[in-house]
Amino acid sequence: MIRLTINGREVEAPRGSTLLQACQLNGIEIPTLCYDPDLRLAGSCRMCIVECKNRPLFLASCVAPAEEGMVIETHSDQIMQARRVILELLAARHDFSCQTCDKNGDCTFQDYCYEYGIKESSFEDGGRRIYTVDDPNPFLERDYNKCIMCTRCVRACEEITVARAINVENRGHHSKIAVAFDGYLEDSPCVFCGQCVMVCPTGALTSKVSAGQGRAFEVDRVLTTCTYCGTGCTLELNVKDDRVVGVSSNREEEWSPVNKGALCVKGRFGWDFINSPDRLTTPLIKENGEFREASWDEALDLVAQRLQEVKDQHGPDSLAMFTSARVTNEENYLAQKFTRAVLGTNNVDHCARL
Amino acid sequence: MTNSIGELEKDSRCIFVIGSNPTDNHPVIGMKIKKNVLYNGAKLIVADARYTDLASIADVYLPHLPGSDVALLNAMMNVIIAEGLADQAFIEENTEGYEEMAKVVSSYTPEYAETITGVPADDIRKAARLYAQSGPAAICYAMGLTQHSTGTDNVKSVCNLAMLTGNLGRPGTGVDPLRGQNNVQGACDMGGLPNVYTGYQAVTNEAARAKFEEAWQVKLPDQNGLTLTETINKAHHGDIKALFVLGENPMMSDPDLHHVEAALKHLDFLVVEDIFLTETAQLADVVLPGACFAEKDGTFSNTERRVQRVRKAASAPGQARPDWEILCDLATRMGYPMSYASSEEIFKEITSLTPSYAGMTYARLEGKGLQWPCPTIEHPGTPYLHKDGKFSRGKGAFSAIEYKPPFELPDEEYPIVLTTGRSLFHYHTGTMTRRCQALDEHVPEAKLEVHPELADKLSIIEGERVRLSTRRGSIEITAHVTERIVPNVVFMPFHFTEAAANWLTQSDLLDPVAKIPEYKVSAARIEKL
Ligand code: SF4
Ligand code: SF4
Ligand code: SF4
Ligand code: FES
């Protein structure tokens, strides 16, 4: 353990911590934009700067090691002023269209602009570069007019998904995120996992499937397990007015043990079958080759009667049940119990083999 | 899986992927494998007739012909034994049957295997050495290994290889089947199988049966039931008269759909409970609307045996109801009252009857879930099985296995091998993903992967519609010319009802033990339209 002073308070931190970690450990919040605990450090946005006594320059706390005896100020006037300048510089390339942005209310950049009182940028003379918002893929919207070049998307793509589809192109004021030759994602190694959307601290990357259906403060997030493959990723269904309107993910291992928030294209963008107009909404009975709607009572009485007839006439082993690799354990349990205890046969199987 | 998914990301020093395409089929596992290989220095061996995404970053790529897995695995073991790379201590302490196995394997020299598999002998040697010498090594496989007439043999061979090198019972080792569907593991654990109750307690075991008879207060049948494929066959013959299908779609997922269709139509009574009017539901006498995963509470068990919560997020549409409620209602109407207040109450009954789940409660599943076996309320769950080489039945048994060719080899009439699989953007029979706007827009149709050499020979060009036929039938499909597949093999995904692969696959010849149909090898012919 080392000892240091933060905002006048003596605190301890494990040797080898960064200043940011030392602060977080002691309940002191530092704003960050490019920092992501699961990704390689970039140390580029400088939002996390702090003041250290006897050091001429501010330190980017996400990369600066905490050292014995340091005296740190995290929210001095000077620091606050410097962060305002940093935000203004970033704001110069940001299109504040918060009214129509799906990230409104769930946007780290918006939060900081609010906190630090940034309305517009005084660096904007000569005009902001305008990027066309045009990527024909059906999954994610890329609006680089809102991008603040934190490069978290690039690192997530490279380090979590290992797709290496996107990169930083050009330098300085003209830099932007792009796929090779500035093309479309569909022609790149992109697998549409949306890990970039998950880490983006602005509205530059959003889901096209969820667009316009509900903002963070309007939805409830229900933690559950993906319905597709056997990996068993944890995801959050976003629900507005009793309707699923999107998927987000929880990045804490404590809550998302298999995938730590990472998902694939099906988990993240393949949820809208839930609201499909093709869903069955009522029992159906076939009469003269055509289905007609029926009540539960009528349908279940018919099923019970027919199964019983077959059982009485031909014996229990003339009946069989296919249960499912997609329904819950509880339902599989009841399906085999029903087959064995009620139908009286062990003819129960599912498509494990298929 | 004997081991945990997370171990593939860091603990495994070598990963051998055979008959599995994780970046498409288990994408998040695929990501972890890629990370381990590209950033943590793990070695990667990929055996597949398709040049998959993982093949492109593999240290050794083995494009073995579909159905030649046993020959390939035996040859790897041949090299390991010949070069003294086997883990003698592990074999002596923890296994039996080594001598017989070694005897069979001794004739599978890499040169001999090359003639069967089409893989250069030196690559087989390289793969064997990498697997045996890199440190903790894991084997991942999926349906590409099991959906063969020799599927059981293939799996036993994989276990042989792991035991031969002591790659079991430690972090990063293991034999890891990657289960295709989210709750295949759970359906098996819960006794959704014709021969076992929950937790693999045999229906023919008197003590187990007595326990369930006592708990359920009813006399239970003592003979093994029929598997899914056998049920279809019996329905065809008229021995099965009525079938209840809960959330399955055999009219897409089962082999030889002509046969399935005839069988289902032959039934006196078919009930289908599902969320959509599937191809199967259309044939039903009664269709019952179920709730989907977002509309009910419960648990799923993933491929690493982790039991996790499923939580209700929204109401089911219209009158649709959770499957468990429907089953209770039906049982009660048939004179066997079943009623539970919640899925949690059902789970309590499960844990009271299932030793491997006994220590689980909904409260304990909060957060990280639990991996079975979890026998007591204090037990932390089991991230990897066979700790220190301890097998549940005492010693791990080697099996001596000879290569057997697939049932259907290419011949003059059907000179090409057709193999089937999944696309990243779709799932199983397409019931759900074909109704996801973005997924279906991105990949709206099935494409047949054809190697340029074969395409040249048949003068087929990219994007051309062709007729693909087997002895079962034929379909029309768009050709995609790609070097990602070996020359005499073609590949198609099976999610698309317009071009359902299973009109072409065969159902008569099953793996004799697991009763798995041979999806991965059909002799086929391609014609221009
Ligand atoms: S969707 Fe996934 S693969 Fe595509 S750019 Fe984003 S992180 Fe990379
Ligand atoms: S798109 Fe988002 S994550 Fe990527 S650099 Fe821009 S702001 Fe950062
Ligand atoms: S998100 Fe993708 S990888 Fe994860 S469980 Fe769902 S389908 Fe599988
Ligand atoms: S958060 Fe520290 S430099 Fe960006």
Side-chain angles (χ1 to χ4, degrees):
Chain A
M1 282 290 187
I2 55 168
R3 303 182 65 79
L4 63 167
T5 310
I6 304 179
N7 299 343
R9 185 154 67 90
E10 281 234 344
V11 300
E12 287 191 340
R15 197 168 290 282
S17 317
T18 61
L19 280 173
L20 179 64
Q21 286 164 336
C23 290
Q24 285 172 339
L25 216 62
N26 289 286
I28 299 157
E29 265 198 54
I30 308 276
T32 60
L33 285 169
C34 71
Y35 172 75
D36 188 302
D38 292 332
L39 302 176
R40 180 166 39 70
L41 295 172
S44 59
C45 74
R46 311 226 20 107
M47 192 63 199
C48 65
I49 47 170
V50 295
E51 214 180 325
C52 178
K53 203 171 162 189
N54 300 327
R55 301 265 178 117
L57 300 174
F58 296 152
L59 301 177
S61 63
C62 69
V63 287
E67 289 164 22
E68 181 71 38
M70 274 181 157
V71 180
I72 300 291
E73 285 295 330
T74 63
H75 285 75
S76 65
D77 287 350
Q78 268 189 324
I79 284 286
M80 296 299 276
Q81 184 49 38
R83 287 198 191 124
R84 253 175 236 122
V85 174
I86 289 163
L87 282 172
E88 271 192 44
L89 277 166
L90 293 175
R93 56 179 298 152
H94 187 85
D95 168 19
F96 283 96
S97 51
C98 300
Q99 312 88 311
T100 53
C101 184
D102 275 294
K103 270 293 196 86
N104 188 9
D106 186 28
C107 172
T108 315
F109 187 63
Q110 187 191 51
D111 291 346
Y112 292 156
C113 287
Y114 176 81
E115 194 181 329
Y116 287 82
I118 309 299
K119 281 204 190 106
E120 61 207 14
S121 179
S122 45
F123 298 96
E124 220 183 280
D125 43 69
R128 190 167 63 72
R129 260 177 76 107
I130 308 288
Y131 298 100
T132 46
V133 184
D134 166 35
D135 194 295
N137 83 79
F139 305 104
L140 48 119
E141 185 86 280
R142 308 161 73 200
D143 180 357
Y144 292 130
N145 298 301
K146 295 174 183 165
C147 173
I148 57 167
M149 289 306 293
C150 70
T151 72
R152 276 161 79 166
C153 54
V154 175
R155 285 173 285 148
C157 185
E158 188 178 320
E159 296 171 41
I160 302 177
T161 305
V162 204
R164 300 183 283 194
I166 47 178
N167 228 316
V168 180
E169 204 161 87
N170 305 331
R171 297 194 174 250
H173 196 56
H174 292 290
S175 63
K176 69 166 198 166
I177 307 297
V179 307
F181 312 112
D182 207 4
Y184 294 138
L185 280 177
E186 285 185 325
D187 307 318
S188 79
C190 176
V191 292
F192 301 103
C193 64
Q195 254 68 271
C196 50
V197 178
M198 168 179 85
V199 298
C200 181
T202 73
L205 300 174
T206 51
S207 160
K208 282 186 183 169
V209 190
S210 298
Q213 298 200 45
R215 292 156 295 178
F217 51 86
E218 299 169 296
V219 303
D220 289 325
R221 296 184 173 186
V222 181
L223 203 69
T224 192
T225 306
C226 179
T227 188
Y228 290 112
C229 86
T231 308
C233 295
T234 305
L235 50 75
E236 295 167 334
L237 291 172
N238 296 355
V239 186
K240 186 184 167 194
D241 303 332
D242 202 25
R243 199 180 142 88
V244 175
V245 294
V247 159
S248 53
S249 56
N250 186 315
R251 300 185 60 195
E252 301 290 329
E253 193 168 4
E254 224 14 75
W255 293 101
S256 179
V258 177
N259 53 316
K260 275 190 97 179
L263 296 173
C264 79
V265 63
K266 290 191 283 287
R268 200 178 297 277
F269 298 111
W271 50 268
D272 51 322
F273 75 88
I274 298 170
N275 305 322
S276 163
D278 295 348
R279 283 288 299 273
L280 290 169
T281 55
T282 158
L284 302 172
I285 292 177
K286 198 177 267 166
E287 262 171 15
N288 309 318
E290 297 280 324
F291 283 119
R292 67 162 174 84
E293 297 191 350
S295 71
W296 275 110
D297 272 333
E298 189 190 5
L300 287 175
D301 280 341
L302 179 63
V303 173
Q305 179 209 327
R306 296 289 282 123
L307 292 177
Q308 194 64 51
E309 280 169 13
V310 172
K311 184 176 171 182
D312 293 344
Q313 276 174 28
H314 305 280
D317 287 333
S318 62
L319 297 159
M321 156 80 88
F322 291 167
T323 180
S324 171
R326 282 176 297 282
V327 305
T328 63
N329 286 331
E330 290 75 0
E331 289 163 338
N332 272 297
Y333 172 78
L334 287 195
Q336 58 97 33
K337 179 174 177 180
F338 174 81
T339 312
R340 295 185 158 118
V342 185
L343 300 183
T345 175
N346 281 317
N347 292 341
V348 54
D349 198 7
H350 67 283
C351 69
R353 302 171 179 85
L354 307 184
Chain B
M1 289 173 74
T2 62
N3 288 52
S4 293
I5 292 169
E7 294 168 30
L8 295 171
E9 181 171 353
K10 44 182 204 294
D11 303 309
S12 302
R13 293 294 83 219
C14 177
I15 301 171
F16 178 22
V17 178
I18 178 165
S20 166
N21 182 9
T23 51
D24 278 6
N25 296 349
H26 307 86
V28 167
I29 296 180
M31 292 171 199
K32 289 177 193 274
I33 295 176
K34 282 177 93 171
K35 191 168 169 181
N36 200 351
V37 171
L38 289 174
Y39 305 140
N40 301 337
K43 300 291 180 212
L44 179 65
I45 306 162
V46 175
D48 206 305
R50 288 174 84 208
Y51 188 71
T52 57
D53 187 32
L54 284 186
S56 69
I57 60 163
D59 294 275
V60 190
Y61 168 52
L62 311 169
H64 69 307
L65 289 170
S68 66
D69 306 84
V70 168
L72 178 72
L73 293 161
N74 276 355
M76 284 177 69
M77 291 188 270
N78 177 296
V79 174
I80 289 169
I81 295 173
E83 300 190 358
L85 305 176
D87 186 338
Q88 292 302 341
F90 185 92
I91 295 169
E92 266 155 44
E93 252 167 71
N94 305 307
T95 69
E96 59 195 22
Y98 171 77
E99 296 303 329
E100 296 76 28
M101 185 277 299
K103 209 167 121 213
V104 166
V105 159
S106 65
S107 54
Y108 288 81
T109 61
E111 280 70 21
Y112 172 53
E114 178 173 343
T115 63
I116 302 172
T117 60
V119 177
D122 276 344
D123 287 346
I124 299 178
R125 285 202 178 84
K126 219 168 128 192
R129 290 174 194 143
L130 262 189
Y131 176 75
Q133 291 184 304
S134 303
I139 308 177
C140 296
Y141 67 89
M143 293 303 188
L145 194 76
T146 55
Q147 285 181 344
H148 288 281
S149 54
T150 56
T152 304
D153 283 353
N154 292 352
V155 172
K156 284 186 183 159
S157 299
V158 157
C159 296
N160 282 346
L161 180 61
M163 287 194 293
L164 183 65
T165 48
N167 273 310
L168 279 168
R170 287 175 290 135
T173 63
V175 173
D176 297 332
L178 305 180
R179 314 302 299 255
Q181 304 184 58
N182 64 326
N183 205 30
V184 173
Q185 183 70 54
C188 294
D189 295 351
M190 290 303 107
L193 293 170
N195 57 340
V196 291
Y197 304 114
T198 62
Y200 308 94
Q201 306 173 73
V203 298
T204 50
N205 177 312
E206 268 176 44
R209 197 168 60 248
K211 178 169 97 175
F212 280 88
E213 285 179 341
E214 161 82 29
W216 295 347
Q217 290 293 301
V218 66
K219 184 103 189 84
L220 292 172
D222 57 2
Q223 299 288 316
N224 285 340
L226 301 173
T227 65
L228 190 140
T229 351
E230 288 170 332
T231 302
I232 297 278
N233 288 343
K234 291 257 180 171
H236 210 260
H237 294 136
D239 299 335
I240 291 288
K241 303 277 183 197
L243 177 64
F244 193 122
V245 177
L246 173 65
E248 289 278 275
N249 190 9
M251 269 308 291
M252 274 294 283
S253 63
D254 286 26
D256 191 355
L257 295 179
H258 297 282
H259 178 72
V260 179
E261 184 171 17
L264 295 181
K265 285 188 170 158
H266 201 206
L267 290 166
D268 288 356
F269 189 61
L270 174 64
V271 197
V272 174
E273 189 168 308
D274 211 313
I275 61 174
F276 292 110
L277 196 64
T278 60
E279 291 77 3
T280 308
Q282 286 167 22
L283 300 178
D285 296 291
V286 178
V287 178
L288 305 172
C292 80
F293 84 113
E295 297 148 0
K296 60 193 177 191
D297 287 305
T299 55
F300 287 153
S301 303
N302 79 351
T303 193
E304 55 169 2
R305 299 166 281 105
R306 189 187 297 274
V307 184
Q308 305 189 99
R309 280 298 314 277
V310 176
R311 292 183 186 80
K312 180 174 174 175
S315 311
Q319 301 178 44
R321 298 164 69 189
D323 299 310
W324 65 266
E325 285 184 32
I326 301 172
L327 285 167
C328 287
D329 204 336
L330 187 61
T332 308
R333 277 168 213 253
M334 291 184 72
Y336 182 90
M338 258 202 229
S339 95
Y340 299 88
S342 63
S343 64
E344 184 169 9
E345 206 176 298
I346 306 172
F347 194 76
K348 281 187 188 143
E349 183 172 317
I350 295 169
T351 55
S352 74
L353 290 165
T354 314
S356 53
Y357 278 62
M360 298 184 192
T361 63
Y362 270 23
R364 286 195 75 198
L365 295 181
E366 278 299 306
K368 288 181 147 187
L370 284 165
Q371 286 171 280
W372 65 258
C374 175
T376 63
I377 204 79
E378 296 83 30
H379 195 283
T382 309
Y384 56 94
L385 302 176
H386 312 309
K387 191 161 187 209
D388 308 320
K390 297 289 168 285
F391 294 91
S392 49
R393 51 177 290 258
K395 298 223 164 194
F398 280 106
S399 323
I401 297 182
E402 295 279 4
Y403 161 75
K404 292 187 215 74
F407 285 129
E408 232 191 36
L409 284 171
D411 54 20
E412 244 164 59
E413 214 182 332
Y414 296 96
I416 297 163
V417 176
L418 164 68
T419 183
T420 63
R422 218 181 246 184
S423 141
L424 165 62
F425 296 95
H426 287 285
Y427 177 72
H428 210 55
T429 68
T431 313
M432 296 186 289
T433 52
R434 294 296 306 281
R435 290 180 178 87
C436 289
Q437 207 199 323
L439 294 172
D440 202 47
E441 188 182 324
H442 192 64
V443 178
E445 64 165 343
K447 291 211 173 140
L448 181 72
E449 295 187 1
V450 184
H451 190 273
E453 268 175 37
L454 183 61
D456 254 10
K457 210 160 86 190
L458 303 167
S459 46
I460 293 169
I461 56 164
E462 171 70 24
E464 182 173 336
R465 298 284 289 174
V466 296
R467 185 186 319 283
L468 174 67
S469 317
T470 67
R471 290 196 171 79
R472 267 69 56 192
S474 63
I475 57 166
E476 283 181 22
I477 186 167
T478 305
H480 171 47
V481 180
T482 170
E483 292 193 340
R484 292 200 157 232
I485 183 109
V486 299
N488 204 37
V489 178
V490 293
F491 169 88
M492 71 174 290
F494 54 57
H495 319 282
F496 298 85
T497 181
E498 308 88 318
N502 287 327
W503 292 109
L504 306 176
T505 50
Q506 56 98 8
S507 66
D508 320 338
L509 303 163
L510 306 176
D511 175 284
V513 181
K515 307 279 161 70
I516 300 182
E518 184 147 72
Y519 285 91
K520 297 298 176 192
V521 189
S522 305
R525 178 172 72 213
I526 302 177
E527 289 149 309
K528 285 178 81 77
L529 286 177

